[in-house]
Amino acid sequence: MVDALKHPRAPLLMLTVIVLSLMGVALLAGGVWLAALGGSLYYLIAGVALLVTGWLLAIRRAAAIWLYAALLLGTMIWAIWEVGLDFWSLAPRGDILVPLGVWLLFPFIVSHLSPGWRSARRALIVVLAASAFVLGLSLRSDRSDIAGRLPQANAVTDIAGAPAAVDWTAYGGDDFGTRYSDLKQIDNTNVKDLKLAWQFETGDLKGPDDPDEFTNEATPLKIGETLYTCSPHQIVFALEAATGKLRWKFDPKIQHDKTFQHMTCRGVAYHQTAPGAVAADGTPAPNECARRIFLPTDDGRLFALDAESGKPCDGFGDHGQIDLKEGNEIKTAGFYEGTSPPVVTDKILIVAGAVIDNYSNRVPSGAIRGFDIYSGRLIWAFDAGNPDPNEMPSATHHFTAGSPNSWTVAAVDEKLGLVYEPLGSSSPDIWAGNRTPDEERYDSALVALDIATGKLRWSFQNVHHDLWDMDMPSQPSLVDLHGEHGVVPAIYVPAKTGNIFVLDRRDGHLLVPAPERPVPQGPAPGDHTSPTQPFSDLSFRPRQLLTEAQMWGSTMFDQLICRVKFKRLRYEGPFTPPSEQGTLVYPGDFGMFEWSGIAVDPHRQIAIANPQSVPFVSRLVPRGKDNPAAPDAAHPPGTELGVQPMYGAPFGVDLGVFLSPLNIPCMAPPWGSLAALDLKTNRIIWQHRVGTIRDEAPLPLPFKLGVPMLGGPIVTAGGVAFLTGTMDDYIRAFDVEDGKLLWEDRLPAGGQSTPMTYEAGGRQYVVTVDGGHGSFGTKLGDYVRAYALPGKS
């Protein structure tokens, strides 16, 4: 250092010395911690190398450049060894070291060094060129990508059910939940010409008394010349389908309350009285409200509205509404919420709802109920936690508290007389030592119920003794599979685990194998685990365990922190039990599939899916000062993330996404993709990452990492799939043949919903509801937007 003082002052050189020293100290400290946990030694070595480089620069030695070139070369070799030629995995390993290497080439650095700096500089240039070559090579391929084209087999023409054509009559397009339309005015050759045809703003925005989980996840219905949709406070809007002009609206006057876990609306349901129709009791159907809209609400009510005027149907329940809290002992506001549309059949209205998650074991029942579609009279109940699920409420009997609920959308096959209800788990979700066998029979299962009686025909359990909130989240899709041995009525059931279970919907037997496999053991005190879980052969779940090398970050520093966090968590693969240490849950309880389901073209026998993969951390919190054993004012309900009290269990639980200090997932992307399935072979034909970080990054960077999403795809006879649910605010259209992006348009808010399509006045429209999602972090809004081809009429 004394020698260095004899040289002319070089402020940029000394600044570089300081930066290198700080980087070296950070990497050395983190590297020692990681090495002590049994992790990679790279960061420790890199920290030492940067400190020595800084020291050599400070004493003006050309060896500093040689050492830095060696560090950069070693980093490149180590990175390729760990992750191969995957650009987004390589990037954080070099996005600081490579630019810093370029900085060291400048004369204001190297000209102050001892003789020999020119040869050292040439060596560093060679290493930088090699790094650039490797990065360029990695951009030419995507190891997560599956390239392919759907087979050009003859289409099936004799399809059961009623695929949506001119109208879109149910949440999933039809009762089968296919999210498919026969319309093909918009096709893969002209979709690029789509323009905004109209836009409607509901005016229903988040207020100061609303919960964080304020969302608009609605898929509108279109019947005749009218579009029906709803907003987060369950306000119903009837719009002219061709223009978006308001015809009427109905406001149920929902209570605004921060303690509600959700404030959302996924849609409404529609029923039309057929000529000569009779009610469930055999009496003639009333003349009132021959066309009616059904609306569930977050405060536990259900409305029947005249589809023509929006007025409540006076003969239904109590002047147009029924109280869904009836039959429950616990009637706390917000503990039972109607967030998804009910199932409409000829005579029976089948209603389920969401029950507050992870708050207490003293919560309302998730009982599914069948009502007379005209009068609202309760006809049957299926209370999954009751030894006799069909026991009706009475003066001496309430529904079972905390019984598994069906918060999502169901599907129905009226020809078979069955409704298919996906169930969650008993409350609380993450510790289950006190669940009874009766409460667990149908936990996280699909139940097929008789439409007329509510009696169980069959069930399939997707997770045994669920400790991970791995409920059945998606509306199942019903498909008639055509094969060598005739037609098989199938049901495709997407699960949070990434599995898609394929069963015969008549009796529930598996059509695609889902063998039971051993899973990690070692439950929390007082709990137990199932020794095995079912793993479907048709699945998007990760085939290999997560490793430290898959930990990610925007830089090598937050990547290092993610590696340390990973090594400190308990993780032995899927179904690793929750723990006080903290368990990495992957796939996370956010789910590889959520409420949106898949889209099915029943003619071509293909499906479009949008799986996502974001790990969660589940940490059990023993009772104590900050986690009392009983409810108090300091721990109100109102969120699904953070510390959940789980009253009635010996633990609370701290739930959250596995994030870096920069609030990005600790696992390398892609976190979301779009894929096509051939239902004749049940194989994934193509799969591509979808979505950019434009609306999540500090700068609007259009990097296509493949992002999480809420909201699913639709598919049309025009060979186009539409998707809006990604974390960036776009509607996109894809070629069904190979997944190629054909068109996209910027949305004014997050599109966390599933779009729909219909025809009005000879013109095909694609409609998206763009209201954003509070806890998802997308921009909130109040938009309903319709796209069409210009000049079509």
Side-chain angles (χ1 to χ4, degrees):
M1 184 65 74
V2 174
D3 291 340
L5 295 176
K6 299 177 182 178
H7 291 276
R9 296 181 62 185
L12 291 178
L13 176 64
M14 296 315 297
L15 176 63
T16 304
V17 169
I18 293 171
V19 170
L20 285 170
S21 300
L22 291 174
M23 289 173 56
V25 169
L27 290 180
L28 179 60
V32 168
W33 192 4
L34 181 60
L37 294 169
S40 172
L41 296 175
Y42 165 79
Y43 295 90
L44 189 158
I45 296 169
V48 171
L50 286 174
L51 285 172
V52 175
T53 300
W55 176 71
L56 289 171
L57 280 178
I59 62 173
R60 314 290 180 95
R61 294 291 186 262
I65 307 301
W66 284 105
L67 179 56
Y68 195 86
L71 171 61
L72 197 57
L73 179 62
T75 298
M76 181 172 60
I77 294 171
W78 165 77
I80 294 172
W81 171 74
E82 270 208 325
V83 298
L85 293 175
D86 181 78
F87 177 81
W88 290 112
S89 295
L90 291 173
R93 291 162 167 85
D95 60 3
I96 288 180
L97 292 181
V98 169
L100 187 55
V102 174
W103 173 266
L104 293 177
L105 297 176
F106 284 102
F108 51 72
I109 302 293
V110 293
S111 65
H112 295 286
L113 303 183
S114 60
W117 65 263
R118 288 181 172 83
S119 57
R121 187 187 193 206
R122 285 193 292 270
L124 182 54
I125 290 172
V126 170
V127 174
L128 287 169
S131 300
F133 176 77
V134 167
L135 286 175
L137 198 62
S138 69
L139 283 170
R140 294 174 59 88
S141 64
D142 182 349
R143 68 177 183 175
S144 70
D145 192 82
I146 300 174
R149 291 187 66 85
L150 289 169
Q152 296 295 321
N154 292 330
V156 176
T157 55
D158 52 329
I159 298 297
V166 173
D167 289 344
W168 191 276
T169 57
Y171 172 84
D174 55 22
D175 291 340
F176 278 23
T178 59
R179 279 160 283 278
Y180 167 79
S181 172
D182 278 328
L183 296 176
K184 51 187 177 182
Q185 183 182 93
I186 301 169
D187 61 29
N188 54 10
T189 66
N190 61 21
V191 66
K192 65 182 184 301
D193 300 322
L194 281 182
K195 301 295 181 185
L196 184 67
W198 57 258
Q199 175 175 291
F200 177 79
E201 297 172 32
T202 68
D204 188 11
L205 297 169
K206 183 180 179 181
D209 296 324
D210 286 320
D212 291 338
E213 194 81 349
F214 186 88
T215 69
N216 196 344
E217 301 170 351
T219 297
L221 307 184
K222 187 267 185 180
I223 296 98
E225 300 305 317
T226 306
L227 191 79
Y228 301 95
T229 190
C230 57
S231 61
H233 291 109
Q234 276 96 30
I235 302 172
V236 181
F237 298 86
L239 310 176
E240 290 183 6
T243 66
K245 292 181 180 178
L246 180 67
R247 287 188 166 173
W248 58 257
K249 77 174 184 178
F250 171 79
D251 187 351
K253 306 296 183 182
I254 300 298
Q255 175 184 352
H256 295 211
D257 193 330
K258 281 183 177 292
T259 67
F260 280 34
Q261 203 163 66
H262 308 92
M263 189 61 69
T264 192
C265 189
R266 293 194 183 94
V268 296
Y270 172 79
H271 178 266
Q272 183 168 337
T273 304
V278 295
D281 60 3
T283 60
N287 294 324
E288 178 197 38
C289 296
R291 300 172 61 244
R292 56 183 65 191
I293 296 294
F294 292 101
L295 169 73
T297 65
D298 277 351
D299 57 3
R301 293 177 290 165
L302 179 74
F303 288 85
L305 308 175
D306 188 323
E308 299 294 338
S309 65
K311 295 179 180 179
C313 302
D314 195 62
F316 181 86
D318 182 7
H319 301 287
Q321 65 176 293
I322 55 179
D323 185 353
L324 297 176
K325 298 185 292 298
E326 288 299 318
N328 280 288
E329 179 184 0
I330 299 151
K331 300 182 180 181
T332 307
F335 276 28
Y336 182 94
E337 299 181 312
T339 56
S340 298
V343 172
V344 169
T345 68
D346 182 31
K347 297 181 178 65
I348 307 294
L349 178 70
I350 301 161
V351 181
V355 174
I356 187 170
D357 265 343
N358 287 320
Y359 185 69
S360 170
N361 62 345
R362 296 293 298 161
V363 295
S365 172
I368 301 163
R369 284 165 280 184
F371 296 91
D372 185 299
I373 206 156
Y374 299 108
S375 69
R377 176 178 62 89
L378 180 63
I379 294 176
W380 58 256
F382 182 82
D383 185 2
N386 189 331
D388 176 9
N390 298 117
E391 184 177 6
M392 296 285 276
S394 66
T396 58
H397 171 71
H398 291 103
F399 290 129
T400 307
S403 186
N405 66 89
S406 181
W407 57 267
T408 188
V409 186
V412 64
D413 186 337
E414 290 200 68
K415 184 177 179 181
L416 291 177
L418 293 176
V419 59
Y420 304 93
E421 292 277 0
L423 296 183
S425 60
S426 299
S427 186
D429 294 346
I430 312 299
W431 187 89
N434 55 7
R435 286 185 202 154
T436 67
D438 286 326
E439 290 173 330
E440 292 222 301
R441 278 179 307 175
Y442 308 119
D443 248 14
S444 301
L446 181 78
V447 293
L449 306 179
D450 188 289
I451 292 173
T453 66
K455 293 187 180 299
L456 181 75
R457 292 273 194 93
W458 59 262
S459 68
F460 175 81
Q461 192 168 58
N462 124 88
V463 175
H464 314 313
H465 193 68
D466 185 3
L467 303 174
W468 306 270
D469 194 18
M470 290 293 166
D471 48 25
M472 298 294 248
S474 302
Q475 181 185 28
S477 294
L478 313 187
V479 190
D480 291 335
L481 296 177
H482 292 246
E484 296 179 0
H485 306 291
V487 178
V488 177
I491 182 169
Y492 281 70
V493 191
K496 284 186 177 181
T497 56
N499 292 313
I500 299 179
F501 296 102
V502 187
L503 306 103
D504 187 316
R505 66 177 184 267
R506 295 169 294 190
D507 56 18
H509 80 264
L510 285 163
L511 298 176
V512 173
E516 296 279 337
R517 296 179 183 170
V519 293
Q521 300 297 294
D527 209 339
H528 63 278
T529 52
S530 172
T532 63
Q533 297 288 356
F535 288 79
S536 176
D537 285 358
L538 177 58
S539 183
F540 289 92
R541 71 179 183 275
R543 302 295 177 170
Q544 304 294 329
L545 298 188
L546 277 179
T547 66
E548 180 198 331
Q550 291 170 272
M551 297 304 103
W552 200 68
S554 60
T555 70
M556 64 193 307
F557 298 102
D558 54 318
Q559 184 183 46
L560 169 58
I561 294 172
C562 283
R563 284 177 178 255
V564 170
K565 291 174 69 173
F566 175 77
K567 298 296 287 188
R568 295 184 69 201
L569 293 169
R570 182 181 179 189
Y571 174 70
E572 298 151 33
F575 303 107
T576 301
S579 63
E580 294 180 59
Q581 170 188 348
T583 292
L584 186 67
V585 182
Y586 180 63
D589 58 6
F590 189 65
M592 291 199 84
F593 289 103
E594 258 292 341
W595 40 265
S596 48
I598 62 175
V600 174
D601 181 338
H603 298 281
R604 291 195 60 182
Q605 305 271 276
I606 62 168
I608 304 297
N610 61 322
Q612 56 190 332
S613 51
V614 180
F616 265 55
V617 175
S618 172
R619 191 186 311 275
L620 294 175
V621 181
R623 295 295 174 202
K625 178 182 177 182
D626 295 325
N627 185 28
D632 62 18
H635 297 82
T639 180
E640 289 185 299
L641 296 176
V643 177
Q644 309 288 290
M646 297 206 303
Y647 299 123
F651 300 94
V653 63
D654 189 357
L655 289 173
V657 183
F658 185 37
L659 297 175
S660 83
L662 299 181
N663 210 37
I664 60 176
C666 266
M667 190 190 77
W671 307 302
S673 61
L674 192 70
L677 304 172
D678 182 349
L679 302 187
K680 294 180 180 178
T681 62
N682 288 303
R683 289 177 49 246
I684 300 170
I685 301 302
W686 54 257
Q687 183 173 2
H688 312 307
R689 63 179 75 204
V690 60
T692 72
I693 59 170
R694 170 173 175 162
D695 295 306
E696 301 303 314
L699 298 174
L701 303 172
F703 295 156
K704 185 181 174 183
L705 272 68
V707 298
M709 57 198 112
L710 282 172
I714 64 169
V715 63
T716 72
V720 181
F722 292 93
L723 181 72
T724 66
T726 53
M727 290 189 80
D728 57 349
D729 303 334
Y730 283 94
I731 179 174
R732 293 182 171 95
F734 302 87
D735 193 325
V736 167
E737 299 297 328
D738 57 9
K740 178 183 177 183
L741 178 65
L742 299 174
W743 168 82
E744 64 183 5
D745 190 46
R746 194 89 171 115
L747 299 175
Q752 279 65 62
S753 62
T754 301
M756 50 85 74
T757 187
Y758 60 87
E759 182 182 295
R763 195 178 189 191
Q764 183 182 355
Y765 295 83
V766 176
V767 169
T768 170
V769 173
D770 309 315
H773 194 287
S775 65
F776 206 50
T778 53
K779 182 181 178 182
L780 299 184
D782 64 337
Y783 303 94
V784 183
R785 289 163 64 89
Y787 291 88
L789 294 173
K792 292 289 183 181
S793 60

